[in-house]
């Protein structure tokens, strides 16, 4: 394997074959599908600036993560994910999100990022809470579809490899956040 960016040092693995389309992009389809976040963030910037900027950073971080399979891409992607979901909760429940919540989340993430279960658990909890707060069925539906794709990519790679299910996680979760941006 090429390993253009060096040996992978991320704490999660993705099903997509590595360095097959372009010699300097580790996971081509996962990298390209990350553009969805950037596009929707740019379009949504007129509605909710914080969520839109968060989405743009999710896209950039995800592109770096999937393009290089290096820890710094993982940090940008996952800190942006936690920030964006916190901004979403803050938009709908501003009094519940204290100024110190996000710095504490980021501090914990930095200390536990090698334990992917930490990010997964916190992100799922915050997503469920955001679904509860917004009562937005479209956001809920797309989050569930994206989550099923992500889980299937992680747990059943041998069966679904050709479907590039993590790519669909990017598409569903980026499209699913549109109602939260514009409301």
């Amino acid at each position: 394997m090429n390993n253009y960016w060096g040996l992978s040092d991320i704490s999660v693995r993705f099903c997509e074959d590595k360095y097959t389309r372009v010699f300097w992009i580790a996971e081509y389809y996962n990298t390209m599908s990350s553009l969805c976040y950037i596009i929707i963030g740019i379009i949504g910037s007129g509605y909710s600036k914080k969520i839109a900027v968060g989405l743009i950073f999710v896209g950039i971080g995800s592109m770096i993560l999937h393009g290089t399979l290096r820890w710094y891409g993982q940090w940008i992607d996952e800190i942006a994910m936690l920030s964006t979901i916190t901004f979403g909760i803050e938009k709908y429940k501003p009094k519940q999100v204290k100024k110190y919540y996000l710095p504490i989340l980021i501090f914990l993430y930095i200390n536990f990022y090698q334990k992917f279960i930490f990010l997964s658990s916190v992100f799922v909890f915050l997503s469920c809470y955001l679904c509860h707060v917004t009562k937005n069925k479209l956001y809920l539906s797309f989050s569930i579809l994206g989550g099923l794709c992500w889980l299937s990519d992680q747990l059943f790679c041998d069966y679904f490899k050709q479907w590039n299910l993590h790519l669909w996680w990017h598409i569903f979760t980026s499209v699913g956040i549109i109602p939260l941006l514009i409301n």
Side-chain angles (χ1 to χ4, degrees):
M1 186 183 300
N2 181 347
N3 292 334
Y4 182 84
W5 299 99
L7 293 177
S8 173
D9 55 4
I10 58 175
S11 65
V12 63
R13 299 293 171 251
F14 302 97
C15 197
E16 184 177 345
D17 288 331
K18 312 306 181 232
Y19 297 101
T20 57
R21 304 275 301 171
V22 179
F23 75 94
W24 52 274
I25 298 177
E27 295 176 347
Y28 180 80
Y29 295 108
N30 286 343
T31 301
M32 293 300 117
S33 63
S34 300
L35 285 169
C36 293
Y37 297 112
I38 296 170
I39 292 165
I40 290 172
I42 290 168
I43 293 168
S45 63
Y47 296 98
S48 179
K49 189 71 79 185
K50 281 176 117 174
I51 295 172
V53 169
L55 278 176
I56 292 167
F57 275 98
V58 169
I60 292 168
S62 185
M63 289 183 83
I64 296 170
L65 165 63
H66 292 292
T68 67
L69 300 178
R70 299 305 307 268
W71 67 270
Y72 45 84
Q74 184 177 357
W75 276 34
I76 297 167
D77 177 37
E78 293 174 354
I79 289 173
M81 288 171 61
L82 292 172
S83 300
T84 304
I85 200 127
T86 302
F87 297 152
I89 294 168
E90 181 182 48
K91 177 180 178 178
Y92 291 90
K93 292 287 187 181
K95 292 181 181 174
Q96 288 186 357
V97 177
K98 306 294 183 206
K99 291 180 183 177
Y100 53 84
Y101 284 3
L102 189 54
I104 288 172
L105 268 179
I106 292 170
F107 173 79
L108 290 171
Y109 170 79
I110 289 170
N111 283 288
F112 295 107
Y113 89 95
Q114 292 179 329
K115 308 281 188 231
F116 191 71
I117 192 72
F118 173 78
L119 172 79
S120 304
S121 302
V122 171
F123 188 77
V124 167
F125 172 78
L126 292 175
S127 295
C128 289
Y129 184 68
L130 185 57
C131 285
H132 169 73
V133 166
T134 63
K135 310 261 189 280
N136 190 299
K137 290 182 174 61
L138 201 56
Y139 174 70
L140 174 63
S141 300
F142 277 101
S143 294
I144 290 170
L145 279 172
L148 289 173
C149 288
W150 190 91
L151 274 174
S152 297
D153 181 77
Q154 290 293 304
L155 300 175
F156 307 111
C157 178
D158 293 339
Y159 302 104
F160 297 119
K161 182 175 236 158
Q162 72 277 8
W163 293 13
N164 292 310
L165 290 176
H166 193 76
L167 162 151
W168 291 101
W169 153 263
H170 291 164
I171 293 170
F172 287 137
T173 56
S174 61
V175 170
I177 205 154
I178 292 172
L180 305 185
L181 273 168
I182 60 177
N183 284 339

